[in-house]
Amino acid sequence: MPIRCLLTVAMSVWACATWADTTTESSASAAAISEDQVIDVDAAQDIFRKSCRACHGNKAQGASSYPALADLEPAYIATQLERYRAGEKIGPNSILMISHAKRLSDEDIVNISVYVATAFD
């Protein structure tokens, strides 16, 4: 029993350290995004309608187990999308998010991040 407990603690510490390493890394594109960013609104709306709205709601307000996005910062949204695009599993809906994010270019991520954070105020 003590070995099992020690192993559990060691694995928990390792998992937390790994998570901390991945969350402190931020790409240049995500760090440079602001709500004042000029974006392609038509492209962003198209992405939102096709890929986001069904789960996150018509106004990115969230629904069921899908979080609200409208009140988040664009840089945070971009960072999360980049992590999903890289195939990183972040939460329970990661498989769905990874499949959508894999199709996004850097420009798409900037567009959708700013759009979602600002369009529904």
Side-chain angles (χ1 to χ4, degrees), residues 68-115:
L69 303 174
D71 58 345
L72 299 175
E73 294 295 320
Y76 175 78
I77 296 169
T79 298
Q80 296 302 92
L81 286 171
E82 289 170 348
R83 291 173 67 191
Y84 282 126
R85 184 175 63 183
E88 185 176 340
K89 293 181 181 171
I90 300 170
N93 297 319
S94 291
I95 299 301
L96 293 169
M97 287 301 301
I98 290 167
S99 68
H100 287 290
K102 289 245 186 230
R103 295 178 263 173
L104 299 175
S105 67
D106 288 343
E107 184 179 0
D108 291 338
I109 288 176
V110 170
N111 288 337
I112 194 67
S113 298
V114 174
Y115 175 78

Side-chain angles (χ1 to χ4, degrees), residues 39-78:
I39 64 165
D40 183 341
V41 175
D42 292 333
Q45 284 178 331
D46 189 48
I47 293 167
F48 181 79
R49 287 184 185 134
K50 290 179 180 176
S51 298
C52 310
R53 184 172 62 176
C55 296
H56 292 283
N58 288 331
K59 295 186 177 182
Q61 76 276 10
S64 189
S65 68
Y66 304 99
L69 303 174
D71 58 345
L72 299 175
E73 294 295 320
Y76 175 78
I77 296 169

Side-chain angles (χ1 to χ4, degrees), residues 8-40:
T8 302
V9 170
M11 291 297 290
S12 297
V13 169
W14 175 80
C16 289
T18 302
W19 176 82
D21 286 344
T22 60
T23 58
T24 56
E25 295 173 7
S26 179
S27 73
S29 62
I33 295 176
S34 72
E35 292 185 3
D36 299 331
Q37 182 102 19
V38 176
I39 64 165
D40 183 341

